[in-house]
């Protein structure tokens, strides 16, 4: 099973996706997701210029050796561009191996450990009535766990909150009108305003209102987008304890994980982190000191299925579970890879799920199903995703950026 072709495919069915397609001498095709939201073409260049020439002629069965060759062999290790590129290769090789075996990929990872992967959806609203409508909409769609994001009085648009500007996303009949599409197509990022003290004052009342409206049982999540200092994060975690969150996500900037010690000292609200981490080493201190409860790394940005399986096994030693990042900038290929891994591992926790647009689902024909709030991977051999070149060619790349966040005095802030 020798690799004879490696193609880097870019398509933009509503948002930009980068896909690696490997073809072998026996006619098998494997796909990998290399999408890095807002920096897509950097990964295209990394793959095209430096990885594709090394893949041609290699034995596609040698997944571990290829991973080590691309990671250690490059000398320059880690970083989101490098790891998204390696991830696409690793995922495509697993897809190929499972197709060669005639088995759905999860069977090669130990087989099924559960009937499906429980998901959470994104409810949001500028105010409480809009937020409640969004929660009800998600419950009607079948979601059994819900992330809560709201506008903050006195601030304009807030990241993670759907607005009238993107309400048209519901027009395709698949994406909820309440889903927030994070990247906007423009020559430069949109800038948003932020005031942490206003946010900290507002959030406990939001969760109290949601609990009063929807009862004690519904699992609720919240994402702080890396915006808080350690003591602010501790305060938020403690103030939300009465509302029994499933998790509080990304409370502090990801570069300095040691600060979570301070947060942990003050609150029993479960913590999730890691969607911008790239390697197992980013988690070492967090796992060994048991500073977090859920791992957010997706297959697409952590270097593929091979290293993410290793991260989850390491996490399991400390009773830490998976909670994989899954917004719409993880392509259907990346999502399928996450589900094959999630259905197999012993310490699955929850899977983030924003529905892709109808246009995206036409480019990537995926056998994933959504039943009773759970996603279930395809029973087709491999990942169970097919890429349609004809449909993809209709959607040309267009620059798109995530917003930039500024404090009220104009300073650039974290998110
Ligand atoms: Mg997040």
């Amino acid at each position: 099973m020798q690799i004879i072709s490696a193609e880097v495919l870019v398509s933009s069915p509503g948002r930009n996706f980068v896909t690696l397609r490997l073809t072998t001498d026996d006619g098998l095709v494997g796909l990998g997701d290399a999408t890095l939201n807002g920096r897509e073409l950097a990964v295209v260049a990394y793959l095209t210029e430096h990885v594709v020439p090394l893949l041609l002629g290699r034995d596609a069965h040698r997944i571990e050796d290829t991973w080590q060759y691309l990671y250690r062999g490059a000398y320059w290790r880690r970083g989101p561009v490098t790891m998204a590129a390696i991830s696409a290769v690793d995922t495509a090789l697993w897809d190929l191996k499972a197709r060669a075996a005639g088995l759905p990929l999860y069977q090669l990872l130990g087989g099924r450990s559960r009937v499906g992967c429980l998901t959470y959806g994104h409810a949001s609203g500028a105010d409480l009535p809009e937020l409640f409508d969004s929660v009800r909409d998600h419950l009607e769609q079948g979601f059994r766990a819900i992330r809560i994001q709201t506008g903050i009085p006195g601030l304009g648009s807030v990241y993670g909150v759907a607005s009238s500007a993107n309400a048209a996303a519901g027009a395709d009949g698949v994406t909820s009108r309440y889903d927030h599409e994070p990247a906007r197509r423009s020559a430069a990022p949109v800038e948003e305003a932020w005031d942490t003290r206003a946010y900290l004052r507002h959030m406990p009342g939001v969760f109290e209102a949601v609990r009063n409206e929807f009862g004690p049982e519904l699992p609720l999540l919240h994402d702080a987008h890396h915006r808080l200092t350690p003591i602010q994060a501790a305060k938020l975690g403690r103030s939300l304890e009465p509302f029994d969150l499933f998790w509080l996500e990304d409370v502090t900037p990801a570069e300095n994980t040691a600060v979570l010690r301070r947060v942990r000292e003050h609150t029993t609200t479960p913590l999730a982190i890691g969607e911008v981490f790239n390697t197992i080493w980013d988690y070492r201190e967090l796992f060994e000191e048991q500073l977090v409860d859920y791992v957010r790394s997706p297959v697409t940005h952590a270097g593929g299925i091979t290293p993410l399986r290793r991260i989850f096994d390491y996490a399991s030693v400390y009773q830490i579970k998976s909670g994989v990042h899954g917004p719409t900038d993880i392509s259907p290929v990346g999502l399928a890879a996450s589900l094959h891994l999630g259905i197999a591992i012993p310490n699955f926790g929850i899977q983030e799920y924003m529905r892709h647009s109808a246009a995206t689902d036409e480019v990537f024909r995926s056998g994933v199903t959504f039943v009773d709030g759970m996603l279930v991977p395809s029973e087709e051999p491999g990942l169970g995703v097919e890429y349609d070149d004809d449909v993809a060619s209709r959607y040309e790349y267009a620059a798109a950026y995530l917003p930039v966040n500024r404090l009220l005095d104009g300073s650039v802030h974290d998110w």
Side-chain angles (χ1 to χ4, degrees), residues 147 223 225 249-250 275 296 325:
R147 191 184 85 164
D223 190 348
H225 295 294
E249 172 183 342
D250 287 343
E275 67 187 49
R296 296 279 295 143
H325 187 52

Side-chain angles (χ1 to χ4, degrees), residues 89-415:
V89 176
D90 183 80
T91 305
L93 292 179
W94 277 106
D95 191 16
L96 282 168
K97 190 183 282 290
R99 286 180 197 240
L103 292 168
L105 175 52
Y106 72 82
Q107 295 289 12
L108 305 190
L109 301 172
R112 192 184 280 268
S113 289
R114 56 192 52 79
V115 294
C117 298
L118 179 69
T119 65
Y120 69 90
H122 290 189
S124 70
D127 53 24
L128 286 178
E130 252 188 54
L131 174 64
F132 289 0
D133 283 349
S134 177
V135 173
R136 283 188 202 98
D137 178 69
H138 281 82
L139 293 174
E140 279 165 22
Q141 290 178 49
F143 282 100
R144 288 160 48 196
I146 296 188
R147 191 184 85 164
I148 298 291
Q149 308 292 135
T150 69
I152 311 296
L155 297 182
S157 74
V158 169
Y159 181 75
V161 177
S163 68
S164 54
N166 53 33
D172 59 26
V174 176
T175 314
S176 161
R177 71 191 172 94
Y178 300 107
D179 276 340
H180 174 71
E181 195 63 45
R184 280 174 237 175
R185 291 173 179 229
S186 55
V190 169
E191 301 200 353
E192 296 179 345
W194 183 249
D195 177 355
T196 304
R197 293 190 70 236
Y199 163 79
L200 291 175
R201 282 194 303 275
H202 188 58
M203 289 317 294
V206 169
F207 275 91
E208 183 177 22
V210 171
R211 277 282 175 236
N212 287 340
E213 183 71 15
F214 296 97
E217 288 174 16
L218 180 63
L220 299 176
L221 302 86
H222 179 65
D223 190 348
H225 295 294
H226 307 115
R227 293 181 182 188
L228 311 179
T229 65
I231 207 68
Q232 288 169 337
K235 183 176 178 179
L236 180 65
R238 184 179 280 188
S239 69
L240 296 181
E241 279 173 20
F243 314 114
D244 189 27
L245 266 61
F246 185 96
W247 82 36
L248 184 55
E249 172 183 342
D250 287 343
V251 283
T252 50
E255 291 93 330
N256 185 5
T257 54
V259 300
L260 289 174
R261 284 190 205 119
R262 181 57 43 85
V263 182
R264 204 64 148 172
E265 280 167 13
H266 292 283
T267 182
T268 57
T269 295
L271 301 176
I273 203 162
E275 67 187 49
V276 300
F277 291 4
N278 313 128
T279 72
I280 196 167
W281 293 277
D282 296 328
Y283 285 103
R284 195 177 66 163
E285 186 174 45
L286 296 178
F287 287 175
E288 291 177 2
E289 296 189 38
Q290 300 195 250
L291 300 180
V292 293
D293 302 281
Y294 294 93
V295 170
R296 296 279 295 143
S297 283
V299 169
T300 308
H301 302 138
I305 292 167
T306 302
L308 193 54
R309 173 75 201 231
R310 216 167 265 146
I311 290 172
F312 289 151
D313 284 344
Y314 184 19
S316 74
V317 174
Y318 302 97
Q319 296 174 282
I320 295 167
K321 294 186 173 186
S322 74
V324 170
H325 187 52
T328 44
D329 52 281
I330 301 294
S331 86
V333 173
L335 179 64
S338 179
L339 298 174
H340 283 283
L341 194 47
I343 208 159
I345 58 172
N347 54 333
F348 173 81
I350 201 164
Q351 168 71 49
E352 184 177 24
Y353 180 41
M354 284 177 80
R355 293 183 176 214
H356 287 109
S357 69
T360 300
D361 288 338
E362 252 192 291
V363 172
F364 300 90
R365 288 198 307 276
S366 169
V368 167
T369 52
F370 183 58
V371 183
D372 197 21
M374 293 186 292
L375 284 168
V376 182
S378 166
E379 286 297 317
E380 292 296 309
L383 287 166
V385 183
E386 306 296 333
Y387 189 88
D388 189 322
D389 288 277
D390 290 337
V391 179
S393 68
R394 285 191 231 142
Y395 301 106
E396 262 182 49
Y397 170 83
Y401 289 97
L402 293 163
V404 166
N405 197 32
R406 289 188 188 273
L407 300 178
L408 298 182
D409 73 353
S411 322
V412 173
H413 192 53
D414 302 296
W415 76 271

